[in-house]
Amino acid sequence: MKQTYGPASIKILKNSIEIGQYAAEIIIDTIKEKPGAVIILPTGSTPMPMYGSLVRRFEEDKTLDLSGIIIFNLDEYIGLTPDHPLSYSYYMNKIFYEKLDRIDKNRAPKINNRHIPVVNKGESWAKAAKRYEHELDSAIRINPDKQADLVVLGIGAAYPVKNRMGRYTGLEGGHIGFNEPGSKATDGTRAVVLTKKTRMDTAFRFLNLRHCRETFKQQLTFEVPDHAITLGIKNILQSKKILLLANMEEKEPVI
């Protein structure tokens, strides 16, 4: 199916709370219009207010039923177990799924409709990525519109880069999922090498984890992963609607 896109609509809001509320309303409208919607969701700091707003609306509005939607996450680190506190699987469970289940498990998304990339034991990274893309494609094929209904994205910050002479040569950063600038529109789901900047951006979280290791019963790795599985630009562009969230001043040059 040939995709056509009009010009982007830009909405400027006061703060991250308003961004989260606005994004939550778009997700809720999508679900109310189509109870079996296929939705792709992000992780990270930017969408956290969005998830908080969704949980509050779910608790307040007993008619809001998420049990029919199919959710796919954009990406996941390779090398972290799903119960690692810095894995995206843990993120989704703790800030979203577990809270919905406690409020009303019958209205919460079904467990088998909560998808996130994972490398199974003995499975190659390439095979895991291909399997995840197949899962998304299968959900899209049975969707009447033959595409994902909504994808919500965050975007990485960017910083000026200097050459050896001290002159600014451009910007580095600005990834979507783990698709770095320069990724092709034909790129599908794949394992990627994380850039030095991307790893440095999240290094403080792993450093902080060392100071609260006693909180967790399992053995933890404190090394920042150097690989991840991500949906590609091709997968993102298969969606009927794309919502890109950005906050903080270091996102401005990227936008």
Side-chain angles (χ1 to χ4, degrees):
M1 181 174 64
K2 186 177 180 180
Q3 297 286 108
T4 57
Y5 295 95
S9 172
I10 299 173
K11 188 171 183 67
I12 300 174
L13 299 162
K14 290 181 181 178
N15 52 47
S16 60
I17 300 301
E18 286 197 3
I19 292 172
Q21 292 170 343
Y22 179 78
E25 288 301 321
I26 289 179
I27 293 172
I28 290 168
D29 288 345
T30 300
I31 294 167
K32 287 188 173 181
E33 182 180 338
K34 190 174 184 180
V38 178
I39 300 175
I40 298 171
L41 293 176
T43 52
S45 57
T46 300
M48 288 188 76
M50 176 190 79
Y51 288 117
S53 185
L54 281 170
V55 170
R56 285 191 296 275
R57 287 292 306 277
F58 185 74
E59 186 170 26
E60 294 165 357
D61 184 355
K62 306 304 180 186
T63 68
L64 181 56
D65 189 350
L66 311 184
S67 63
I69 64 173
I70 303 174
I71 297 174
F72 287 84
N73 270 93
L74 276 167
D75 45 28
E76 176 62 291
Y77 291 115
I78 292 174
L80 299 186
T81 58
D83 60 348
H84 190 286
L86 291 178
S87 73
Y88 292 153
S89 178
Y90 187 93
Y91 172 109
M92 290 298 295
N93 285 329
K94 291 300 178 183
I95 75 163
F96 194 49
Y97 292 135
E98 289 182 8
K99 293 179 180 181
L100 298 180
D101 287 341
R102 282 196 294 270
I103 294 167
D104 188 343
K105 200 165 187 177
N106 292 324
R107 289 189 294 122
K110 292 183 174 65
I111 292 177
N112 59 350
N113 285 340
R114 308 171 184 181
H115 300 272
I116 196 162
V118 63
V119 180
N120 295 323
K121 187 176 181 179
E123 187 177 35
S124 70
W125 299 349
K127 186 175 181 180
K130 186 175 182 179
R131 174 174 52 78
Y132 192 62
E133 184 168 72
H134 176 73
E135 291 171 1
L136 175 60
D137 288 345
S138 296
I140 287 173
R141 277 197 300 272
I142 64 174
N143 192 6
D145 290 332
K146 304 303 180 187
Q147 58 187 158
D149 296 282
L150 173 67
V151 55
V152 183
L153 306 170
I155 193 163
Y159 303 96
V161 179
K162 294 181 180 180
N163 61 18
R164 292 181 180 179
M165 304 297 291
R167 295 175 180 172
Y168 290 105
T169 57
L171 295 173
E172 185 173 307
H175 57 83
I176 292 177
F178 281 122
N179 296 281
E180 294 289 346
S183 298
K184 299 179 180 63
T186 55
D187 286 339
T189 309
R190 65 207 186 283
V192 295
V193 179
L194 301 182
T195 65
K196 181 180 178 181
K197 179 198 169 297
T198 295
R199 297 181 74 236
M200 288 176 63
D201 283 350
T202 197
F204 75 94
R205 295 187 176 94
F206 286 83
L207 181 63
N208 291 343
L209 188 61
R210 294 177 184 269
H211 301 297
C212 56
R213 69 183 77 186
E214 293 81 8
T215 306
F216 302 95
K217 296 179 181 179
Q218 75 271 33
Q219 288 290 109
L220 297 175
T221 176
F222 303 109
E223 298 298 320
V224 183
D226 51 15
H227 290 81
I229 290 178
T230 185
L231 292 181
I233 302 300
K234 179 186 76 172
N235 309 117
I236 291 168
L237 292 178
Q238 287 175 337
S239 302
K240 184 177 181 180
K241 181 181 289 185
I242 297 172
L243 176 62
L244 175 63
L245 311 179
N247 64 355
M248 300 187 296
E249 62 186 13
E250 59 264 33
K251 307 287 180 73
E252 183 180 359
V254 187
I255 299 301

